[in-house]
Amino acid sequence: LKFFAGASKTSGTPPYTAVVNVSPVDLTGKTLNQTLFLGTTPSQSGATVSATINSSTSITFVSNNANTDFTFIATYI
């Protein structure tokens, strides 16, 4: 298993996203909750953060609140 971690902040306008570049990690062929597992921790109470893989080198995070600071850790096979 390998892992990487980071932090970011979602935008202030809907849909409250943050695109995180994870290069040089190659996400080609990775599927969330199968070969790539993400744990996120938003700093604001009541905020949630979900993720999608949108390219081989970046992950898009989406929050239910604007300007949500969050940390994440990813484990992959």
Side-chain angles (χ1 to χ4, degrees):
L1 296 175
K2 298 177 183 179
F3 71 93
F4 59 92
S8 191
K9 182 177 189 174
T10 60
S11 62
T13 56
Y16 312 133
T17 61
V19 177
V20 177
N21 185 342
V22 297
S23 181
V25 174
D26 184 3
L27 300 177
T28 302
K30 303 292 184 248
T31 303
L32 284 174
N33 300 321
Q34 291 181 11
T35 55
L36 175 70
F37 303 92
L38 279 172
T40 59
T41 305
S43 62
Q44 287 92 332
S45 178
T48 61
V49 177
S50 61
T52 58
I53 299 172
N54 61 328
S55 80
S56 63
T57 59
S58 66
I59 300 172
T60 299
F61 294 89
V62 179
S63 178
N64 62 330
N65 294 334
N67 300 312
T68 300
D69 293 306
F70 64 94
T71 58
F72 67 91
I73 186 164
T75 305
Y76 63 101
I77 299 171

